[in-house]
DNA sequence: GTCCCTGCAAAAGTTTTGCATTGCG
DNA sequence: CGCAATGCAAAACTTTTGCAGGGAC
């Protein structure tokens, strides 16, 4: 997907936030993004990062995930699912073949019109499985 | 599932919290539970409710849901899914037929051992759909 | 000149923790 | 008596908001 000229002003701060998210592959939290951006724009403040993240989410440039207790951000805006390691917390993108008809029907029975869904698998990543032995 | 004598002391405060969650059908937040319990045990404090909720979750007596920005609690501890109204926030229990093999395979390709999953559908409930007209 | 953006600080909200007190076992 | 549980208050943390200053258009 090409990036159209945004309808908002792309200031250096905003560009830095956008780049950090785009380059990240680890679904960083707002605080983590703030720290990484600060390495490039030492003067930037919390509020600017938070406001920029909201802006980018609103415009569909990035995705906000509410997987655990804090918000995380994902540059992959196409529909996909996630798997989270319950040991170390690492999150990976995956695709689960879940037919739209299944979700539509299940929710429709409850009287809902369904727009979409969020699916998160829970387990142990390869690293944690190996390092901590069997369990 | 019958309730075994808990391995923790079932004080009046804890019993009240447990009952409130068991009687609730609306996936209340910790604050909502606190307010409802307070109606029965006026002297109870925040901390006790929070600590009791953690305790009950640890022992599998109730479920903690992280669907939105705050924690919600569910007395239904058997595996099931949820649908949330993006307009009013109401949450309902549903069951989506998602074969374990599908999740297992998808995650295994990423190197994860999968224990379970959380599936949340998003849409508009019957009430919101009717009241706000088309959109 | 006007308006948007930024940075700092404070506020708001949820959840956790410290600590003295209470009361069961 | 000993120890777990409680209640209150304060802390920790994430996220939002207010506001004055500054730069872009």
């Amino acid at each position: 997907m090409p990036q159209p000229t945004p309808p908002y002003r792309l200031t250096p701060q905003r560009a830095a936030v956008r780049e950090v998210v785009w380059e990240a592959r680890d679904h960083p939290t707002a605080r983590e993004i703030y720290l990484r951006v600060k390495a490039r724009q030492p003067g930037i403040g919390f509020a600017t990062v938070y406001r920029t993240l909201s802006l980018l989410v609103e415009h569909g440039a990035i995705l906000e995930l509410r997987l655990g207790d804090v918000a995380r951000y994902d540059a992959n805006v196409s529909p996909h699912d996630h798997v989270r390691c319950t040991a170390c917390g690492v999150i990976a993108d995956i695709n689960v073949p879940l037919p739209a008809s299944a979700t539509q029907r299940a929710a429709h029975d409850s009287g809902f019109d369904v727009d979409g869904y969020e699916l998160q698998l829970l387990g142990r990543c390869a690293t944690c499985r190996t390092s901590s032995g069997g369990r």
Side-chain angles (χ1 to χ4, degrees), chain A residues 47-106:
Chain A
T48 302
V49 172
Y50 273 100
R51 279 188 282 237
T52 300
L53 288 171
S54 300
L55 188 76
L56 295 174
V57 168
E58 261 178 44
H59 286 80
I62 63 175
L63 229 54
E64 185 183 58
L65 309 176
R66 288 283 186 171
L67 301 185
D69 47 352
V70 293
R72 294 177 174 276
Y73 297 88
D74 192 340
N76 181 358
V77 292
S78 61
H80 64 283
D81 310 301
H82 297 96
V83 56
R84 176 163 56 106
C85 178
T86 51
C88 70
V90 68
I91 295 171
D93 287 358
I94 57 171
N95 277 288
V96 176
L98 176 54
S101 58
T103 63
Q104 300 284 342
R105 182 159 9 94

Side-chain angles (χ1 to χ4, degrees), chain A residues 6-26:
Chain A
Y8 47 85
R9 244 162 66 194
L10 192 59
T11 64
Q13 288 89 343
R14 290 178 178 176
V17 171
R18 198 179 64 169
E19 271 177 31
V20 163
V21 177
W22 279 357
E23 290 170 7
R25 300 184 173 184
D26 57 346

